[in-house]
Amino acid sequence: MPARPDLRPPWERRFWCPRIGLVRWARDAPDRGVTIATADGAIEVHGWDRATGRLMQVTRRPAGTHRAKPDPGGEWIWWFDDTAGDELGQWRRQPFGSGPDGPVEYATGLPPAYEAGLELGRTVSVLGRSDPATGYEVRVFDGHCLGEGRVLYRHEQPARVTGLSADETMVVIEHSEHGDVRRPALRILRLDDGSVVADLRDSRGRGVRSAGFAPGAGDPRLLVVHERRGLRALLIWDVLTGAQVPLAWDVPGEVESADWYPDGSALLVTVSHAARSRLWRIESPVRSAAPGTAPAGVTATPVGPVAGTVLAAAVRPDGDAWLLWSSAADPPAVHDLAGRVVLAPSEPAPAGVPIEDVWVDGPGGRVHALLRRPRDAAGQPPPGPIPLLVDVHGGPSAHDKDVFRPGPSAWVDHGFAVVQVNYRGSTGYGTAWREAVSDRIGEEQLEDIAAVADHLVAAGIAVAEKVVLSGHSWGGYLTLLGLGTQPERWALGIASSPIADYVAAYEDELDSLKAFDRSLFGGAPADVPDRYLRASPLTYVGDVKAPVLVLAGRNDPHCPIRQIDTYLAALERAGKPHDRHIYDAGHGSLLDEERVRQIRIKLGFVTRHWGGPALRPRTAPRGGPASAGSNRLTEVARFI
């Protein structure tokens, strides 16, 4: 019997198309791995047996599951169990090959806490956790028969486990004991007695982050991401001798991630530049522990795709390298370095909308933005100006990239141009650009966003009277702040999971975010009340003119619901037109049904205010009314 044709519009099918993440491999069982993928319209944990080509669903939870990793032997899959996305939970584990109804056990005897890193060794496990009652702590467990373990480290400031040495004698902790979580330091601890092996904090006031220990037993080298040259670069740190050797090669951009090859003689490095990324194989990293800090010349060879974005990359235990790649037009899929697809949806989503690069001279320097707009059959854009959605990214330490995104493409399908602005505070453009967020919080970013919007209006691409400001998380914050501080500029506002009342948000948010805000503002609200007041959207509610739609998860620990309720109540008292959509999740939903529902709500909000074609008020049930097989993934690794 032939499959039913899928009659849903392309924008909706892009959301319902299954998603897949990069496989994380068991170190000692290289045919066994764990990935995050779609199952019946939700993001869930899957195991993958490469030898048989079997992709096996592991979890089935109402709000989805997105944190998991295998143990080194490939016997167990660990996954983090919270409640409806609130991020307060416990690690659980179950045998590899078991499904959602298989045997599951709690991995520790500890009460629920916020996750702060997990390293699984052959003989030990190291767990980072944040407990509101005890602060940040690192616990060590012998083997995988876990009880409460023993405390190796504890501090009130944020800390996270980020690496375990190959011989399982040392662990690296990324911490902020110095009080600046935005610029962390590193500490190496011995697992047997908790003694400090070495500390690394950049004296130049920049952060340092761990990219992993060298893979050989007894090899004391740690790969470190630093910012001493004004952008993210690499150095190798011998944690026993203290020798630091920066790695220098002449390529544009900033290091995003790095992974060791199994013999420790090379690195696979992802470098981001102008919203794209390239992979480089770095040959023969320094093995010597000789003192000195002179840069080491290395041989850098470009590998993998030459366009688009590498979302994640890793070296398999057998030395092969795999990557999760996407572009604005191409949905993510797992590839090897030869370009062969290893894991991808069996029925790909309709192509996304390609991007155009836009560079604008803003008040703080050149601003890079990514533009999507409708095209006719000949590939030509509309002859005249059209409505514009300014889609503001979160973070702020993040940046928009040349990647497949169903949301912006949906707006383009409905006749909008969509622009994404990598404003001051964004990563990927050097340390100075990222650090610029700390002067006039929110205001510099809105200046950059406004400069890009004005440029598109002046260029005849956008209609000045029909510009929508929209964003999620920090982007939602900038949306609400922009509606209040630039009320004449924006016609409509759509804020998802925003910071709306900065003081109330600080009171209720995660401790790690409290620490981030103290670093950003120079103190807590009690210390610098005027700075929080100036930066809070609630301060400007009375000046808002544009109708606003607010969407929020009721269990969100990042942008808690109480402060959003406060803002919405203030809009109500001031008689400002607004709509709301509150849903059962945390800082965004892992369910395709909810993601589609939210796009319909957003498009419907604009339609009510501006007119236009009505949207059918339906959402497919979980799993979607797709044709047979549309929610399956295909495993093609068996053929390569």
Side-chain angles (χ1 to χ4, degrees), residues 234-275:
L234 294 173
L235 65 83
I236 290 179
W237 177 32
D238 186 314
V239 303
L240 298 183
T241 69
Q244 300 173 32
V245 183
L247 303 181
W249 70 98
D250 188 20
V251 299
E254 291 197 300
V255 169
E256 280 209 343
S257 66
D259 195 21
W260 293 90
Y261 276 81
D263 62 358
S265 66
L267 303 169
L268 183 68
V269 182
T270 307
V271 177
S272 173
H273 178 62

Side-chain angles (χ1 to χ4, degrees), residues 71-72 76 78 93 105 107-110 118-127 138-152 164 167-169 190-194:
D71 76 330
W76 297 90
W78 291 52
R93 65 176 192 170
E105 63 187 33
T108 78
L110 299 169
L118 173 68
E119 292 293 328
L120 300 176
R122 299 180 179 96
T123 61
V124 297
S125 301
V126 186
L127 174 69
V138 176
R139 289 178 178 255
V140 180
F141 303 84
D142 295 327
H144 297 152
C145 297
L146 306 183
E148 295 187 357
R150 52 187 171 84
V151 176
L152 187 74
L164 179 67
D167 59 9
E168 301 177 11
T169 63
R190 293 195 184 279
L191 292 182
D192 54 0
D193 59 7

Side-chain angles (χ1 to χ4, degrees), residues 20-25 35 48 257 259 261 268-270 277-280 302-316 320-327 331-344:
I20 184 68
L22 190 65
V23 180
R24 304 182 70 173
W25 296 102
T35 188
W48 191 30
S257 66
D259 195 21
Y261 276 81
L268 183 68
V269 182
T270 307
S277 58
R278 288 299 311 273
L279 278 176
W280 296 83
V303 294
V306 299
T309 297
V310 176
L311 298 170
V315 182
R316 279 182 33 82
D320 193 10
W322 287 10
L323 56 132
L324 183 67
W325 179 87
S326 175
S327 75
V334 180
H335 300 250
D336 64 12
L337 290 182
R340 294 172 294 190
V341 175
V342 179
L343 192 61

Side-chain angles (χ1 to χ4, degrees), residues 3-4 6 8 13 16-19 38 345-349 623-633:
R4 289 186 295 119
D6 192 340
R8 295 170 298 179
R13 297 196 336 253
W16 285 107
C17 176
R19 291 172 282 166
T38 304
S346 57
E347 295 185 18
S627 58
S630 67
N631 248 342
R632 293 199 304 267
L633 297 165

Side-chain angles (χ1 to χ4, degrees), residues 34 36 44-46 58-61 64-70 76-82 89-95 98-100 102-107 118 120:
V34 173
I36 305 299
E44 296 288 3
V45 179
H46 289 69
V58 175
T59 57
R60 185 191 298 118
R61 301 195 310 137
T65 316
H66 67 103
R67 289 191 182 103
K69 67 190 312 181
W76 297 90
I77 293 176
W78 291 52
W79 52 271
F80 193 73
D81 183 15
D82 65 356
Q90 298 167 285
W91 284 99
R92 306 186 76 176
R93 65 176 192 170
Q94 62 189 82
S98 61
V104 180
E105 63 187 33
Y106 285 106
L118 173 68
L120 300 176

Side-chain angles (χ1 to χ4, degrees), residues 186 188 197-200 213 219-224 226 228 234-247 260 286-296:
L186 298 177
I188 311 298
V197 177
D199 279 301
L200 181 61
F213 277 103
D219 192 333
R221 296 176 300 158
L222 182 71
L223 191 61
V224 176
H226 68 93
R228 296 173 183 175
L234 294 173
L235 65 83
I236 290 179
W237 177 32
D238 186 314
V239 303
L240 298 183
T241 69
Q244 300 173 32
V245 183
L247 303 181
W260 293 90
V286 175
R287 300 189 65 88
S288 170
T293 58

Side-chain angles (χ1 to χ4, degrees), residues 182-183 205-206 227-232 254 364-366 422-439 444-445 448:
R182 295 169 62 218
R183 304 171 185 89
R206 304 300 185 194
E227 299 180 72
R228 296 173 183 175
R229 296 192 289 117
L231 47 80
R232 290 177 177 171
E254 291 197 300
R366 293 277 282 172
N422 285 329
Y423 50 76
R424 276 171 284 174
S426 301
T427 55
Y429 300 87
T431 302
W433 191 258
R434 179 175 55 80
E435 292 281 342
V437 71
S438 59
D439 293 333
E444 299 101 335
Q445 294 75 53
D448 295 341

Side-chain angles (χ1 to χ4, degrees), residues 392-527:
V392 186
H393 74 70
S397 295
H399 68 278
D400 279 313
K401 307 172 184 179
D402 182 2
V403 296
F404 182 83
R405 289 193 54 191
S409 293
W411 287 92
V412 173
D413 286 1
H414 285 82
F416 281 74
V418 177
V419 69
Q420 296 166 295
V421 182
N422 285 329
Y423 50 76
R424 276 171 284 174
S426 301
T427 55
Y429 300 87
T431 302
W433 191 258
R434 179 175 55 80
E435 292 281 342
V437 71
S438 59
D439 293 333
R440 292 178 292 118
I441 297 163
E443 297 174 40
E444 299 101 335
Q445 294 75 53
L446 286 169
E447 290 173 353
D448 295 341
I449 292 165
V452 172
D454 287 347
H455 168 79
L456 296 177
V457 169
I461 294 173
V463 179
E465 298 77 22
K466 289 193 172 183
V467 180
V468 182
L469 185 61
S470 177
H472 177 264
S473 191
W474 183 271
Y477 158 67
L478 290 177
T479 295
L480 296 184
L481 187 65
L483 295 178
T485 60
Q486 303 169 330
E488 305 296 337
R489 177 174 292 282
W490 312 109
L492 296 172
I494 301 174
S496 301
S497 303
I499 301 168
D501 173 355
Y502 226 127
V503 174
Y506 181 90
E507 292 170 352
D508 295 352
E509 68 192 6
L510 294 169
D511 286 345
S512 59
L513 292 178
K514 286 185 171 71
F516 179 90
D517 285 341
R518 290 193 298 270
S519 174
L520 184 66
F521 284 88
D527 304 317

